[in-house]
């Protein structure tokens, strides 16, 4: 097996067909194959590796150079995508070899974080990834939003095609990136696909000239559904402005379907709102995202509580050794273990265990229960101070 990096044009005959077989209807229609060339500009900055056997590409994996918010720090993140193997070459270690090299290269180039949507979560847990919450989908009748039509709300909404209003959308997602834990955005070369497709409306909530909420959507048919993508709002007023606009579609669509962060509670938005909330995770087809730390540099300087604990990192290619995590100053510092100046609680963690704590998705006791580490009670108390629970919202879907 030989691993090589693909140039942009090389994807047409190698990685794109492998990905299409793995994740689309098959065999592909000729018209679909012709569309591959249209995707090249939106993959221009990706790093794509393929594994060759006897001169034939049998597996592929790509990394998208993205950015993600980790507890308030915006850091480079490698979004792993397009991991696929030829059906006759599966279960022979090709993906493992590709991921090792791909993540080695992305880490060396300064990406301390990585995220993906797995074909099987347990497979990627062995690579140190841990699950993140899946976005929720809320479905309801616009008639139930009627009370909002009588509400006096600050601000106004602006309604445009997303192609023309793309700079507004991009600027607001940049704001969310800096304000929301776990939020990740595509690089410009990938993000502009939304502008170029121009197949959505963009609704924004504006207060005093500042965008405070935004959602893209389309309507499938008269009497059908208003299908909204991620509803982004900085506060309840912004969210209410967007929902108030949806309420005006009561005689046009039967249902509104909108995607929401995991910590949104639409059942509490209004009295008598009949709403179906779903977060469906299935294999294959509907995975929850996963993420991990690739470098301990991601932790340095994060806001933290005043905890102090020794962590021994085991079983990982990228995170190893013993480290003192010190939050005494309110900003996390990684110190040599010998600088502890006395006995401190200690925990043994896998990369997935440490990543679960850093992303805020598991309590230290859950890390212990799930065999992602050995966390005694005294160490668990310190780790809770250092890594308070938070709900990450990945946003980007890739």
């Amino acid at each position: 097996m030989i691993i090589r990096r693909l140039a942009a044009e090389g994807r047409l005959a190698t990685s794109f067909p492998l990905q299409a077989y793995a994740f689309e209807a098959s065999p592909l229609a000729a018209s679909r194959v012709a569309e591959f060339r249209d995707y090249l500009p939106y993959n221009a900055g990706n790093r794509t590796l393929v594994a060759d056997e006897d001169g034939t590409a049998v597996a592929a994996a790509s990394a998208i150079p993205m950015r993600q918010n980790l507890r308030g720090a915006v850091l480079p993140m490698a979004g792993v995508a397009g991991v696929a193997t030829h059906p006759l070459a599966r279960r022979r270690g090709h993906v493992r070899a590709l991921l090792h090299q791909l993540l080695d290269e992305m880490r060396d180039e300064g990406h301390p974080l990585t995220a993906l949507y797995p074909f099987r979560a347990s497979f990627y847990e062995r690579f140190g990834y841990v699950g993140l919450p899946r976005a929720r989908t809320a479905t309801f009748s616009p008639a139930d939003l009627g009370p909002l039509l009588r509400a006096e709300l600050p601000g106004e909404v602006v309604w445009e095609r997303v192609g023309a209003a793309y700079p507004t959308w991009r600027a607001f997602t940049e704001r969310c990136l800096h304000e929301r834990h776990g939020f990740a955005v595509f690089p410009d070369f990938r993000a502009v696909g939304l502008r170029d497709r121009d197949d959505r409306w963009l609704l924004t909530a504006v207060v005093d000239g500042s965008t405070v909420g935004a959602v893209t959507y389309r309507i499938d048919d008269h009497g059908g559904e208003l299908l909204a993508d991620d509803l982004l709002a900085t506060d309840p007023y912004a969210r209410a402005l967007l929902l108030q606009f949806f309420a005006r579609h009561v005689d046009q669509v039967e249902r509104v379907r909108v995607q929401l962060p995991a910590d949104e509670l639409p059942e509490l938005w209004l009295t008598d709102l009949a709403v179906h909330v779903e977060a469906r995770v299935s294999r294959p087809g509907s995975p929850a995202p996963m993420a991990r730390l690739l470098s301990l540099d991601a932790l340095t300087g994060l806001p933290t509580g005043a905890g102090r604990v020794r962590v021994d990192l085991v079983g990982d290619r990228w995170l190893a050794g013993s480290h003192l995590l010190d939050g005494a100053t309110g900003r996390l510092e990684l110190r040599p273990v010998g600088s502890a100046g006395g006995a401190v609680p200690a925990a043994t963690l896998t990369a997935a265990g440490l990543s679960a704590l850093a992303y805020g998705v598991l309590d230290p006791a859950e890390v212990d229960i799930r065999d992602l580490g050995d966390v005694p009670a005294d160490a668990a108390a310190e780790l809770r101070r250092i890594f308070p629970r938070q709900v990450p919202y990945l946003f980007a879907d890739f």
Side-chain angles (χ1 to χ4, degrees), residues 12-25:
L12 293 174
T14 51
S15 63
F16 283 179
L18 286 171
Q19 294 165 25
Y21 182 83
F23 302 114
E24 298 187 27

Side-chain angles (χ1 to χ4, degrees), residues 189 200 226 254:
F189 68 79
R200 297 285 196 276
L226 188 157
E254 181 179 359

Side-chain angles (χ1 to χ4, degrees), residues 47-72:
R47 179 178 297 267
T48 299
L49 302 181
V50 294
D52 285 347
E53 278 189 351
D54 300 324
T56 300
V58 295
S62 295
I64 309 165
M66 301 172 65
R67 288 170 295 144
Q68 186 179 31
N69 183 314
L70 181 69
R71 295 184 179 269

Side-chain angles (χ1 to χ4, degrees), residues 38 59 121 157 220 244 282 295 362:
D38 297 335
V157 293
D220 64 359
Q244 187 182 66
S282 64
S295 169
L362 295 182

Side-chain angles (χ1 to χ4, degrees), residues 339-357:
S339 66
V344 295
T348 300
L349 298 174
T350 64
L354 180 61
S355 298
L357 297 172

Side-chain angles (χ1 to χ4, degrees), residues 204-224:
T204 53
V206 179
V207 175
D208 296 330
S210 175
T211 301
V212 293
V215 61
T216 57
Y217 75 93
R218 63 183 179 86
I219 294 173
D220 64 359
D221 203 354
H222 182 75

Side-chain angles (χ1 to χ4, degrees), residues 54-348:
D54 300 324
T56 300
V58 295
S62 295
I64 309 165
M66 301 172 65
R67 288 170 295 144
Q68 186 179 31
N69 183 314
L70 181 69
R71 295 184 179 269
V74 176
L75 302 169
M77 184 269 277
V80 174
V83 179
T85 307
H86 190 286
L88 294 178
R90 291 174 180 170
R91 298 184 180 275
R92 285 162 43 190
H94 297 311
V95 166
R96 175 174 295 276
L98 283 173
L99 283 175
H100 279 165
Q101 182 161 327
L102 185 65
L103 295 179
D104 280 349
E105 293 179 7
M106 296 304 288
R107 183 181 187 273
D108 290 346
E109 291 187 2
H111 293 78
L113 306 175
T114 175
L116 50 77
Y117 288 82
F119 65 85
R120 184 192 295 266
S122 58
F123 176 84
Y124 286 102
E125 186 177 83
R126 294 194 292 271
F127 286 88
Y129 286 87
V130 69
L132 303 184
R134 182 159 180 77
R136 271 53 177 160
T137 298
T139 306
F140 47 85
S141 168
D144 285 354
L145 300 178
L148 287 174
L149 294 174
R150 300 187 295 272
E152 292 290 335
L153 300 173
E156 60 183 356
V157 293
V158 178
W159 178 64
E160 304 167 276
R161 286 285 288 264
V162 73
Y166 172 77
T168 300
W169 170 253
R170 182 66 169 170
F172 187 64
T173 58
E174 286 282 340
R175 173 179 174 177
C176 293
L177 171 67
H178 286 83
E179 295 179 355
R180 178 123 202 182
H181 170 56
F183 203 90
V185 297
F186 289 125
D188 288 338
F189 68 79
R190 174 72 173 262
V192 294
L194 179 66
R195 177 200 66 193
D196 297 345
R197 291 189 301 273
D198 196 22
D199 60 356
R200 297 285 196 276
W201 295 104
L202 173 63
L203 180 69
T204 53
V206 179
V207 175
D208 296 330
S210 175
T211 301
V212 293
V215 61
T216 57
Y217 75 93
R218 63 183 179 86
I219 294 173
D220 64 359
D221 203 354
H222 182 75
E225 290 188 331
L226 188 157
L227 300 164
D229 303 308
D230 298 73
L231 191 151
L232 306 177
T234 60
D235 59 42
Y237 288 110
R239 183 185 65 212
L241 278 169
L242 301 176
L243 294 175
Q244 187 182 66
F245 176 86
F246 291 162
R248 299 189 181 110
H249 293 73
V250 62
D251 297 317
Q252 184 177 351
V253 299
E254 181 179 359
R255 291 177 300 277
V256 175
R257 189 186 304 270
V258 60
Q259 189 158 290
L260 302 167
D263 57 355
E264 272 283 9
L265 301 175
E267 64 272 26
L268 302 181
W269 286 348
L270 291 166
T271 305
D272 291 336
L273 174 64
V275 58
H276 177 82
V277 183
E278 181 180 51
R280 182 174 180 267
V281 177
S282 64
R283 178 180 56 82
S286 184
M290 303 182 80
R292 64 155 291 166
L293 307 179
L294 276 178
S295 169
L296 293 176
D297 292 343
L299 300 180
T300 302
L302 293 183
T304 185
R308 204 159 179 257
V309 64
R310 167 181 168 163
V311 295
D312 300 317
L313 301 174
V314 296
D316 188 64
R317 182 183 181 93
W318 299 283
L319 304 182
S322 297
H323 309 269
L324 179 67
L325 305 187
D326 191 346
T329 66
R331 293 284 173 179
L332 186 57
E333 296 180 73
L334 275 69
R335 301 180 182 276
V337 170
S339 66
V344 295
T348 300

